[in-house]
Amino acid sequence: MRILGIDPGIAIVGFGFIDKEGSKCVPVQYGCIQTEAHTPDEERLLHVYEAMVQLIDKYKPDAVAFEKLFFNRNVSTAMPVSQARGVLILAAHQKGLPIGEYTPMQVKQAIVGYGKAEKRQVQEMVRMFLKLQTIPKPDDVADALAVAICHAHSSTLNSKLNEVLRK
């Protein structure tokens, strides 16, 4: 099962494709989509959308997982980031992909085992889970991979629960 994890943003969209092979998660490709500051929002949104469609077409995920938005400090970025998240969800939906959504606390719980873990702890666990030499940069990329890993763990649990409920 190939999972695309996304950390939405307007300036930087982190993405990470992983393959779930049994109980292991294997990195396929990861990086970020960046847009230029001082560019009209509509151009930035189009760039994010088109880049995501190209990535989906190239790497053909089976599911997409998003980090739910949470704004505690910089509320002024809430609208542009929400718009970027919308075009990312649209790209996934148009390709017929199932979408999972996880709060930052859920992701931390799945990755570190503690919902209030520090960002550095999550990044280090992502590096260890995926057997990477270094922590992916920028932070948005590591966050996207964490969301993908969270979805991989959650999808396993959900499928087992569904099997039990069907019996």
Side-chain angles (χ1 to χ4, degrees), residues 56-75:
I56 289 170
D57 286 344
K58 182 174 183 177
Y59 294 101
K60 303 191 181 331
D62 299 303
V64 181
F66 287 89
E67 184 171 68
K68 286 186 178 178
L69 299 181
F70 177 73
F71 295 97
N72 61 346
R73 290 193 190 111
N74 194 352
V75 179

Side-chain angles (χ1 to χ4, degrees), residues 4 15 19 21-22 31 36 38 45 54 68 79-80 83 97 104 109 115 119 124 135 139 148 166:
L4 166 57
F15 68 86
D19 283 346
E21 298 174 355
E36 291 287 326
H38 311 295
L45 293 169
Q54 287 177 348
K68 286 186 178 178
M79 189 58 72
Q83 291 171 329
L97 297 169
Q109 179 70 40
K119 185 177 269 296
E124 182 59 25
I135 293 171
D139 292 352
R166 275 186 245 132

Side-chain angles (χ1 to χ4, degrees), residues 72-90:
N72 61 346
R73 290 193 190 111
N74 194 352
V75 179
S76 64
T77 62
M79 189 58 72
V81 173
S82 296
Q83 291 171 329
R85 186 175 186 277
V87 300
L88 292 161
I89 290 172
L90 175 64

Side-chain angles (χ1 to χ4, degrees), residues 10-11 13 32-36 39-55 87-88:
I10 188 69
V13 176
C32 60
I33 301 166
Q34 293 182 300
T35 64
E36 291 287 326
T39 303
D41 282 353
E42 58 273 18
E43 288 180 32
R44 293 175 97 177
L45 293 169
L46 179 62
H47 175 73
V48 165
Y49 172 80
E50 289 176 340
M52 185 52 61
V53 168
Q54 287 177 348
L55 286 167
V87 300
L88 292 161

